């Protein structure tokens, strides 16, 4: 049965089948949104525990955390809220995913650190790092494919792109280099994991965006510094 039929007046009307289909898609999108956000925090927590280098924004969060004594997750929440304020002059509009991102990723990160012990052996830390990077790609695919709005850090970069005319690649690379260097100077962890994340997150997210696409073509995947691909979860 077609989910769309013609009404008596000749206009389209949605049948019960179409309504149920829309509700199922909405339910799936909401599940992907929150599952992706929580998993993103888990992936970041695993990378922190690996102590082999973090993604640029997590380097910054960790550096600030070391300086002010708050947990890295709380710093992530506060940074997301401050970045969201920068959307005002850039005229970006937040969505459900934007606001949810600010809170859930940081809390999930802290919860992962509480539940995951520290390890000294590289034989454990390398699998933690690799698991964190792969899960980050899965989380990014889940979250972006849900189509509930960009993350606060993403909106900053796309807003700069629209308002200044610089390419998205330049805006993203510039912002992430600034936060990476700032985080490193503050004491955040930069290492082999940082480079591995930069090289792998784009292809991983591209793959999982296709896997988790709800309908229509998937949006662009995230770009690590220097990688000319579109937005990510943060």
């Amino acid at each position: 049965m077609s989910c769309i039929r013609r009404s008596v007046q000749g206009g389209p009307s949605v049948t019960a089948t179409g309504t149920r289909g829309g509700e199922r898609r909405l339910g799936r999108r909401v599940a992907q949104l929150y599952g992706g956000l929580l998993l993103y925090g888990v992936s970041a927590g695993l990378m922190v525990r690996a102590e082999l280098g973090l993604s640029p924004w997590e380097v910054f969060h960790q550096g600030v955390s070391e300086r002010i004594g708050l947990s890295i997750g709380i710093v992530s929440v506060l940074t997301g809220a401050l970045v969201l304020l920068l959307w005002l002059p850039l005229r970006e509009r937040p969505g459900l995913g934007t606001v949810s991102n600010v809170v859930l990723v940081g809390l999930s990160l802290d919860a992962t650190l509480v539940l995951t012990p520290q390890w000294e052996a590289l034989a454990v830390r390398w699998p933690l790092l690799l698991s964190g990077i792969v899960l980050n790609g899965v989380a990014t695919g889940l979250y972006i494919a849900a189509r509930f709005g960009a993350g606060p850090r993403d909106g900053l970069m796309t807003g700069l792109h629209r308002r200044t005319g610089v390419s998205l690649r330049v805006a993203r690379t510039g912002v992430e280099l600034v936060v990476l260097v700032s985080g490193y100077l503050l004491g955040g962890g930069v290492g082999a994991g940082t480079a591995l994340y930069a090289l792998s997150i784009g292809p991983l997210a591209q793959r999982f965006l296709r896997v988790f696409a709800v309908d229509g073509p998937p949006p662009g995947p995230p770009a690590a510094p220097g990688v000319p691909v579109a937005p990510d979860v943060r």
Side-chain angles (χ1 to χ4, degrees), residues 27-45 97 100-106 108-109 112 132 134-148 208-209 212 232-234:
R28 175 181 168 182
R29 289 173 59 212
V30 171
Q32 285 192 195
L33 168 66
Y34 290 107
L37 292 176
L38 293 173
L39 190 58
Y40 197 103
V42 171
S43 70
S100 301
N101 179 299
V102 171
V103 178
L104 290 183
V105 172
S108 175
L109 194 167
T112 301
V134 172
L135 286 177
N136 195 278
V138 174
T140 301
L142 282 167
Y143 166 75
I144 296 180
R147 300 175 182 270
F148 278 109
F208 288 112
L209 277 165
F212 298 119
D232 83 350
V233 69
R234 305 306 299 281

Side-chain angles (χ1 to χ4, degrees), residues 187-206:
V190 175
T194 307
L196 186 58
Y197 180 91
L199 292 172
S200 60
I201 190 59
L204 282 170
Q206 177 71 63

Side-chain angles (χ1 to χ4, degrees), residues 169-183:
R169 175 179 183 174
V170 170
R172 183 179 188 88
T173 302
V175 169
E176 293 201 341
L177 283 176
V178 169
V179 298
L180 178 62
V181 172
S182 300

Side-chain angles (χ1 to χ4, degrees), residues 2-66:
S2 172
C3 64
I4 302 291
R5 61 177 172 80
R6 307 299 297 181
S7 68
V8 175
Q9 292 79 14
S13 63
V14 181
T15 66
T17 303
T19 301
R20 288 195 297 271
E23 289 174 350
R24 284 195 297 270
R25 284 193 297 273
L26 178 60
R28 175 181 168 182
R29 289 173 59 212
V30 171
Q32 285 192 195
L33 168 66
Y34 290 107
L37 292 176
L38 293 173
L39 190 58
Y40 197 103
V42 171
S43 70
L46 293 179
M47 292 181 67
V48 171
R49 279 289 180 246
E51 297 183 358
L52 291 167
L54 304 173
S55 65
W57 278 102
E58 301 309 335
V59 171
F60 178 76
H61 298 151
Q62 188 180 57
V64 174
S65 172
E66 293 288 336

